[in-house]
Amino acid sequence: MALRTALRTGADLGVNNARTFITTAFLRRLVPPLGPMPNEDLDTTDLESLEKYRSYSRYLRQAEEARNKPAWWKTYRSYVEKQDPEHDAEKVDIGLPYLRPSRLKEVKERTQMVKGNKKNAELERASRLRTLKVSLDRVQDEWGKTSGPFHIQRLAEHYGVFRDLFPNALFLPQVLMQINYSQDNGGQVHYGNRLTPTEAASVPQISFEAEEGSLWTLMLTCPDEHLLDNEAEYVHWLVWVGTGFHRYVYFLFKQEVRIDFQEDVRTTPCLSLAERSFKTLDFYRKHQDAMTPAGLSFFQSQWDESVSDTFHNSLNMREPVFEFIRPPVYHPPQVKYPHRQPLRYLDRYRNGKEHTYGIY
């Protein structure tokens, strides 16, 4: 696995009329502390002073009132919106305009297709004998023209792609890309699948449908990698560290005019991480009047043996070592009348370091 330059020609990646810009990013978002837990105000050191229920009916009545009382964990959405006013706020669409097809036309075409299939004797015979074969390529094309872009957008939102790289913005990836690191489909990039660093070390083959003479910009970015600055990125092709799964995102931008990227070019080969410091959001803001996001694909990857070779032989530096400090086991505050809890419920609140056998 070797590092690549920041800018590459489209011919290097098997793409015509395209230039690639490759970078990684890491953004961290502070989360507000949770609200109070139930029975936090109880003084457990003086249990005799607590009010006694005296009867099961009185306990049941007060337990029902406590269950129906509003709490932050019952209205989590409103609680989060109060703590973070921008949570779930309407995002700006920075993508290509989407022309919704006519629903009446779709229904009419589907009805005609169903009628034609019913009149086809060979199709009916193959279906009845269970020998009917469906072309997966046609299914893929139909999916890409109908619900595919919406599914990709939902997956990108689920993996936090827009949140970390385009805060308060999103786009509908209407141009589907075929990205493959190998001759077969073993190294194909979909939407969140896993590839090892070794599988993603070679130059991928990339293809997509485009108009004749149109201009495109292809960017590969990772929002999980910077070693020193959480708000900065590295301009590079591949740099791997042992910090769990990393998201590697391909963005495809459609250019309205030719763009001069000379300000973003680094020396070749650029093996200094300091020189590769970069921010994807600033790059997009600088060229947003000349390019529009149109395509999206991404995969996940984690450490393997090729990472050590990259740091030692390509970057000429020691491989960073990350230590995970496991937090203590969290137990919610003890409640007076635990409902549907195991018989050994109180064991988690014992003094000392006795093992609870991990049943909680």
Side-chain angles (χ1 to χ4, degrees):
M1 178 177 64
L3 295 179
R4 310 297 180 186
T5 58
L7 289 173
R8 299 174 57 86
T9 61
D12 295 335
L13 299 180
V15 182
N16 295 326
N17 299 328
R19 307 180 75 181
T20 61
F21 192 87
I22 302 148
T23 180
T24 63
F26 182 87
L27 298 177
R28 179 178 295 173
R29 186 176 185 180
L30 296 178
V31 179
L34 296 178
M37 297 299 294
N39 298 332
E40 259 188 0
D41 55 337
L42 296 181
D43 184 9
T44 57
T45 60
D46 188 10
L47 298 180
E48 294 298 328
S49 63
L50 298 179
E51 182 184 3
K52 306 301 188 297
Y53 288 103
R54 304 301 181 185
S55 69
Y56 180 75
S57 299
R58 184 184 178 191
Y59 154 71
L60 184 60
R61 182 174 63 255
Q62 295 193 14
E64 290 290 337
E65 294 176 356
R67 186 182 66 176
N68 297 328
K69 185 178 179 180
W72 67 267
W73 58 85
K74 296 181 181 178
T75 57
Y76 182 73
R77 180 181 295 273
S78 60
Y79 173 79
V80 172
E81 291 175 353
K82 182 179 179 181
Q83 298 293 327
D84 183 9
E86 296 184 359
H87 175 76
D88 220 13
E90 184 177 358
K91 297 183 179 180
V92 180
D93 189 353
I94 60 176
L96 297 173
Y98 175 69
L99 301 179
R100 187 177 299 276
S102 172
R103 179 61 179 171
L104 182 61
K105 182 179 179 181
E106 288 183 346
V107 173
K108 184 177 180 180
E109 292 178 352
R110 185 176 298 275
T111 302
Q112 292 178 352
M113 181 179 62
V114 171
K115 289 182 178 179
N117 291 339
K118 290 182 178 180
K119 295 179 180 180
N120 191 330
E122 296 181 359
L123 189 65
E124 185 276 334
R125 174 180 171 82
S127 177
R128 178 164 41 84
L129 298 178
R130 298 184 179 181
T131 59
L132 179 63
K133 296 182 179 181
V134 179
S135 174
L136 295 181
D137 294 335
R138 290 184 58 186
V139 174
Q140 179 75 14
D141 293 341
E142 184 68 19
W143 176 78
K145 295 177 182 178
T146 54
S147 60
F150 297 96
H151 293 166
I152 299 172
Q153 184 186 55
R154 291 176 59 186
L155 285 171
E157 289 184 311
H158 175 75
Y159 281 93
V161 173
F162 298 126
R163 178 196 62 203
D164 294 338
L165 296 177
F166 294 97
N168 301 323
L170 50 74
F171 66 91
L172 186 67
Q174 302 184 46
V175 180
L176 301 187
M177 295 183 290
Q178 298 293 331
I179 305 174
N180 206 323
Y181 283 96
S182 60
Q183 298 297 330
D184 54 7
N185 293 330
Q188 188 171 355
V189 178
H190 296 287
Y191 310 101
N193 60 313
R194 299 179 181 179
L195 297 178
T196 65
T198 304
E199 291 174 332
S202 60
V203 178
Q205 294 296 320
I206 304 174
S207 62
F208 56 90
E209 295 183 3
E211 302 87 355
E212 185 69 24
S214 59
L215 300 174
W216 301 81
T217 297
L218 182 65
M219 179 177 70
L220 172 63
T221 178
C222 173
D224 306 309
E225 278 192 341
H226 203 283
L227 303 179
L228 301 177
D229 188 356
N230 292 341
E231 300 297 330
E233 310 165 19
Y234 287 142
V235 180
H236 64 157
W237 180 247
L238 290 176
V239 169
W240 309 86
V241 291
T243 53
F245 281 101
H246 291 187
R247 298 160 293 170
Y248 288 85
V249 188
Y250 281 93
F251 284 115
L252 182 64
F253 299 88
K254 184 173 183 180
Q255 297 178 211
E256 305 300 331
V257 295
R258 291 187 177 273
I259 303 176
D260 185 7
F261 291 111
Q262 290 302 320
E263 296 181 0
D264 305 304
V265 173
R266 302 298 191 271
T267 57
T268 304
C270 183
L271 302 180
S272 171
L273 296 183
E275 294 181 5
R276 288 176 175 265
S277 293
F278 188 79
K279 290 186 178 181
T280 302
L281 185 59
D282 293 343
F283 168 76
Y284 171 71
R285 284 174 175 171
K286 182 169 59 176
H287 302 294
Q288 61 181 345
D289 295 334
M291 62 169 57
T292 305
L296 167 67
S297 290
F298 62 98
F299 67 97
Q300 302 180 85
S301 188
Q302 64 178 352
W303 185 94
D304 72 358
E305 289 77 6
S306 65
V307 177
S308 301
D309 179 72
T310 299
F311 276 102
H312 296 165
N313 299 327
S314 299
L315 295 178
N316 193 25
M317 61 179 290
R318 296 177 60 184
E319 184 177 359
V321 178
F322 299 88
E323 180 181 1
F324 176 73
I325 302 177
R326 186 175 299 276
V329 179
Y330 171 76
H331 296 311
Q334 182 180 344
V335 296
K336 293 172 65 174
Y337 300 97
H339 181 55
R340 294 184 178 178
Q341 293 292 335
L343 294 177
R344 297 183 59 191
Y345 166 77
L346 293 178
D347 285 357
R348 69 180 72 173
Y349 301 100
R350 291 182 183 274
N351 296 328
K353 299 182 179 179
E354 296 183 12
H355 200 285
T356 57
Y357 303 100
I359 63 175
Y360 303 115

